[in-house]
Structure formats: C-alpha cells, structure tokens
Amino acid sequence: MKKSITLLLLVALCLVNYRLLDTIDQDPFLITDYSRLHPVKVERVVDGKEQEQLIHLLKEARDKNLTVSIAGQRHSQGGHTYYKDGIVVDMTHFNKIVSFDPAAKVIRVQAGATWKDIQDKVNPYGLSVKTMQSQNIFTVGGSISINAHGRDIRNGSLIKSVESFRLLTSKGEIKQVSRTENADLFPLVLGGYGLFGIILDVTLTLTEDEIYRMTSEAMTVDEYSNYFLSQVKSNPDIHMHYARISVAPDHFLTDMYAINYTVDKTVPLIEHNTLKATEDLVIPTKLLFHLNRSFDWGKNMFWNLQQKFFQVQQNNVISRNNAMRSETEFMEYRGIGKNDLLQEYFIPVDQFADFVHRLKTILPQENLKLLNITVRYVNQDEEATLSYAREDMFALVCLFNVSLEEQGQSSFKKGIQRIIDEVIRHRGTYYLPYAAYPSLEQFQAVYPRYKEFFVKKDQYDPEHLFMNYFYEQYKGE
C-alpha cells in the first residue's frame, strides 16, 4: 500500500514538473533556448513568413546596427539561436513544401518545414528521408545548420543528402548554393550554426521506404565494437542501428543492448506504412524516467524494463518512416533550477571501450549525474568545414541532469572539460549544438579548421550581422 501511494505521489510530481514548473525560474521578458542557461533580452522576435519580408528585415537590421539570429525549434543548447539586443527570426512559419518529384526522389522545402512535414508528404509514395535526428519535430533548416545525424548507418550525416539550398546573405542577396554553385558556402553553412545567412529552402535527395525487422542483442561494452563491425556493419541488410549503455548502478557503464533494423523484403510495405500519429504511453514512461532520474533503484528498474521491452519487440516489423519517428518525448524535463542537458562525444570505433572505461572513472569523481547514453554510428565525413566525423565513429549521446545555479554550473563545466580531455586523447570529437562547456582551447584542438571557418565568416559577413553566442564563445582572438 505504501509503495502504491509513493508511486502515485511521484506521478503527480512528474506532471507538475513537466506542465507547471518549466517557467517558474525564467523571466518572461527574456529569451533563451532549451537549456535555459543564458536568458537575455532581445530587441524582438519576428516570425519569418515571406522572402521579401526577410530581405526587408535584414535591411532594417543593417540600418539600425542590430544583429540577427535564426531560430527553429530552439532545441540547440548553447545560445546558437539568439543574441542580446538583437532580432531573432523564428523560421517555423516559413514551412511550405515547395516542390516534390517522386520519380527523381527529390523534395524541396522551406527551411521551417519539419521532418514530420516531409514524412507526411513522401510516405504515400513509398519514399523516406535518408538522414535526420531521432525525432521528426525539428526544422530542416535547423537540422542542416547543425549537420545532424541519426540512426541510419548507410547514408552518412545530413550533409550527404543535401543537394542544394538557397541562402539569404547579409547583403540581402539570395544565392543558390550547391557543390557546384557558390560551392565555397556549401561546407560552411552545413554545420555553420546560422552564421552565414538565412537558409530559405533546401533540396534533399530521398530514399525508399522499406520494412525492417527489429532485433535486439545484449552485450558488454568491451564486446560492442567487435560486435558492430562483424555482425552489423558487415551485414548490408542492416540499415539502421543504435545501442544503449546501462547507467544503472548494478550494471554501470558495463552492460549494453543493441537494436538492429534489418530489411525484410518478404513483408509488403503497404501493410505497415501507416504513420504513427502520437507517441504511446508517454505519461507512464515519463514517470519511469523520472524514477531513473531520482533514485538508484529507479535506474536499475528502468534499465531492466528497457531490456524486457525490447525482448517483447523482438522480430517486430516496422516501416523506415515509423522507425524514424522515435519516441523520446518521455525524456523531456523542466525542473525548478535544474534541467536535463545533452553532451555528445564522437569516439573512433577502436577506442570505444577504452573511452567508456575512462568515463566510468570520471563520472563519480566529478559527481556528474548521467541519466542515459545512446550510441549511434557515424560514417567518416569531412565535407563540412566544422566536421565532427574525421573517421568512422560511435556517437555517445549523453543526457545529464544539471543544476542551473552558478555553483552547480561551474562544477559541471569542470567535469565536462575533463571528459573532453579524454575525448581528445582517444582521437575523438564532440558535437557543437550543445552548451558551451568545452574551453576555447579544447574547441580549437577538436576542430582544427576553426580558423578557416571564422575567416570565411568575416569574408561573407564582415559587419557580423548574423550573430549568436556560439560565435562569441569560440571566435577567440
């Protein structure tokens, strides 16, 4: 009876945390992003709706010596989408499907369109996107600005599926950008965090929708790299893959399970290609994840339930489009004075186990509260100027519960910088869309083409019309 009452109270606490407390510690006159770390006053937020409107807006900003920042869903966590006293352009209303050629497997969309918008459009034609994040809520413009990656292990990071885009520059000019036209801008804007202009629309290449059979396998951290190379990457029928490492005290950074999506051509696509409208069991799963956040026994229980869930799903079939509409809403969290923040590390395949062992030592020493690690595979891709995949790598997506208070932030930053030192020692990199805990020196070590990037920024935007806190933090002298 007492345990039931405790669980009911925790349910109520979850509902309060997620629905009521997310704004209590925020000044409503300030703007911030998902991190809630650096709220500032901006001149105004403008909904981007028409091309001519955006051209006039840039002229006004130049005339008034104002900066411009570009925002989509604002899930980046390092001040990439706003700047003090500047104009924030909200591109989420600039979201039309411009053209679609099913035969050529090409679609052109305005930058504010979401991956859901694309999926809804192409699914009836048996087509799918090649690469996107694990959620379909993000805008296309935002995704290519961070050069996103996902569960697909065959198509590389997002830059590989971008054919071209149109860019509104600081001079008010519209440039068509591709690998052959204004080609210098292509690797700068892809993964350029909105510093070179406003992306108006994007032309993407598509792939076939298909049926996958899901399987899961348990293993240890020490076994994972060999397992991936010998059984996953070497199997051309496995098109998507991810894994999770246990953060439960009973199996802390030791046990793993992997999920594979293997093509099954015996199952007709039409039987399974109805798109799921909403996530299932969000509230109960939020409760379980809150227990994972709050108690060691909750972490053990959550890990055990995850493994049982995927055992139940063994050999289930799912379409590619539905597999790319993954369920992570249950992880969203807003607590007073606290937040769940991401950091992401890219580690060469042969360095994976050794890096995780070092991470296992650092986390308790630095009192870092790790809630989840998802592992994805990223093919080598050095096309973007600020490329994070200099060789084939595993991406370790780490979710931390973090205090937003000054002392807690200082302590967390110290711990993250210590992790980044290990990343560098293991030939790794880290992802730039998240909070700017890495030092300037660490950024420069991990992204050796930083000088080229910032020189080109000065060349294309000499007055620094486009501005954000990523630039301010890492431009250096």
Side-chain angles (χ1 to χ4, degrees):
M1 182 67 179
K2 287 183 179 180
K3 191 171 183 179
S4 298
I5 293 173
T6 301
L7 288 172
L8 287 172
L9 288 172
L10 284 167
V11 171
L13 176 62
C14 276
L15 294 174
V16 169
N17 272 336
Y18 293 123
R19 297 183 180 181
L20 298 177
L21 298 184
D22 57 336
T23 58
I24 288 177
D25 63 347
Q26 297 295 299
D27 187 329
F29 298 103
L30 303 179
I31 190 172
T32 184
D33 55 22
Y34 188 86
S35 72
R36 295 154 55 210
L37 285 172
H38 304 293
V40 299
K41 183 182 76 67
V42 298
E43 203 271 343
R44 69 185 187 275
V45 178
V46 178
D47 289 340
K49 295 180 179 179
E50 301 291 341
Q51 181 175 292
E52 289 302 315
Q53 169 221 11
L54 293 173
I55 293 172
H56 289 305
L57 182 66
L58 293 192
K59 183 179 184 304
E60 178 193 349
R62 289 194 303 271
D63 292 344
K64 294 181 178 179
N65 293 318
L66 297 172
T67 63
V68 174
S69 302
I70 306 152
Q73 297 292 351
R74 287 189 221 168
H75 269 248
S76 58
Q77 299 175 13
H80 302 75
T81 56
Y82 61 98
Y83 195 71
K84 60 186 176 183
D85 300 324
I87 297 173
V88 174
V89 183
D90 183 337
M91 293 294 287
T92 56
H93 299 280
F94 200 80
N95 58 5
K96 295 177 182 177
I97 305 290
V98 180
S99 64
F100 173 44
D101 186 341
K105 299 180 185 176
V106 171
I107 191 167
R108 180 180 165 209
V109 301
Q110 290 182 330
T114 65
W115 296 103
K116 179 184 182 302
D117 295 330
I118 294 179
Q119 288 179 323
D120 290 345
K121 181 69 175 180
V122 307
N123 188 71
Y125 297 87
L127 296 175
S128 177
V129 299
K130 290 182 176 179
T131 301
M132 55 176 264
Q133 295 103 309
S134 292
Q135 288 178 291
N136 63 3
I137 64 171
F138 302 111
T139 64
V140 173
S143 294
I144 73 169
S145 292
I146 67 170
N147 191 21
H149 64 93
R151 294 181 178 180
D152 187 292
I153 64 172
R154 305 297 174 184
N155 285 301
S157 50
L158 186 51
I159 193 170
K160 292 299 184 185
S161 56
V162 176
E163 188 173 280
S164 64
F165 56 89
R166 290 194 309 145
L167 185 73
L168 177 58
T169 70
S170 61
K171 296 178 181 179
E173 300 171 343
I174 297 176
K175 292 182 180 290
Q176 180 73 22
V177 182
S178 69
R179 291 176 178 86
T180 58
E181 192 171 3
N182 294 303
D184 187 46
L185 279 164
F186 193 86
L188 295 166
V189 177
L190 275 291
Y193 300 91
L195 289 171
F196 290 86
I198 299 176
I199 298 167
L200 296 176
D201 51 60
V202 184
T203 300
L204 297 164
T205 56
L206 303 169
T207 190
E208 298 286 337
D209 194 10
E210 53 194 3
I211 291 295
Y212 298 135
R213 192 166 292 278
M214 297 174 59
T215 57
S216 65
E217 293 196 46
M219 67 208 65
T220 66
V221 164
D222 289 332
E223 295 167 335
Y224 179 65
S225 290
N226 182 64
Y227 162 79
F228 179 83
L229 293 174
S230 63
Q231 299 187 46
V232 179
K233 188 180 180 183
S234 63
N235 183 348
D237 291 331
I238 297 179
H239 287 187
M240 296 173 62
H241 167 92
Y242 73 96
R244 288 211 169 101
I245 307 175
S246 175
V247 298
D250 290 352
H251 318 274
F252 186 63
L253 298 197
T254 300
D255 290 358
M256 298 182 64
Y257 66 83
I259 307 296
N260 296 316
Y261 297 80
T262 306
V263 176
D264 189 339
K265 295 181 180 180
T266 68
V267 181
L269 176 64
I270 196 170
E271 294 180 4
H272 297 276
N273 71 337
T274 300
L275 294 178
K276 292 178 61 177
T278 58
E279 292 189 15
D280 300 324
L281 304 173
V282 173
I283 295 300
T285 313
K286 278 188 173 183
L287 165 63
L288 290 170
F289 199 75
H290 192 65
L291 297 177
N292 174 67
R293 183 182 291 110
S294 304
F295 307 103
D296 283 347
W297 62 265
K299 289 180 173 62
N300 286 324
M301 181 176 70
F302 190 68
W303 176 252
N304 291 332
L305 287 173
Q306 284 183 82
Q307 291 184 300
K308 289 178 181 178
F309 173 75
F310 283 108
Q311 288 171 3
V312 170
Q313 284 200 317
Q314 194 83 343
N315 289 313
N316 276 8
V317 295
I318 188 171
S319 72
R320 178 182 176 90
N321 280 330
N322 277 316
M324 296 178 88
R325 297 161 77 90
S326 69
E327 302 183 358
T328 54
E329 184 182 335
F330 67 88
M331 290 185 180
E332 292 185 5
Y333 170 75
R334 290 288 199 271
I336 297 178
K338 292 183 178 181
N339 205 355
D340 290 350
L341 299 181
L342 289 167
Q343 293 284 292
E344 185 168 346
Y345 312 115
F346 300 93
I347 304 299
V349 172
D350 66 338
Q351 297 292 306
F352 172 79
D354 195 49
F355 174 78
V356 175
H357 291 321
R358 290 296 302 141
L359 189 63
K360 185 176 181 179
T361 299
I362 292 171
L363 291 172
Q365 291 176 348
E366 298 295 334
N367 197 29
L368 298 176
K369 191 174 181 181
L370 181 63
L371 303 179
N372 187 74
I373 302 185
T374 301
V375 181
R376 303 190 187 111
Y377 173 73
V378 183
N379 308 88
Q380 180 180 6
D381 181 2
E382 299 185 79
E383 186 175 13
T385 305
L386 295 182
S387 173
Y388 48 79
R390 295 197 294 266
E391 54 186 293
D392 293 347
M393 291 179 159
F394 289 129
L396 282 72
V397 187
C398 301
L399 185 68
F400 295 94
N401 185 249
V402 181
S403 168
L404 301 180
E405 303 298 329
E406 184 176 352
Q407 183 175 353
Q409 278 292 296
S410 177
S411 176
F412 186 72
K413 182 176 183 177
K414 174 177 171 289
I416 294 300
Q417 290 187 357
R418 189 175 167 196
I419 292 174
I420 297 295
D421 284 340
E422 287 299 327
V423 168
I424 294 170
R425 289 191 189 99
H426 288 82
R427 306 197 316 270
T429 64
Y430 68 91
Y431 207 13
L432 294 172
Y434 302 124
Y437 296 115
S439 68
L440 175 62
E441 292 75 21
Q442 288 175 325
F443 166 74
Q444 292 176 347
V446 168
Y447 289 93
R449 296 179 67 187
Y450 72 92
K451 288 184 180 179
E452 175 188 348
F453 181 83
F454 290 122
V455 166
K456 292 292 186 179
K457 163 68 174 173
D458 291 341
Q459 175 185 327
Y460 285 106
D461 183 16
E463 297 178 350
H464 294 174
L465 176 69
F466 298 108
M467 183 57 62
N468 58 33
Y469 285 99
F470 167 72
Y471 180 88
E472 183 175 272
Q473 178 82 11
Y474 291 115
K475 171 60 169 67
E477 296 298 329

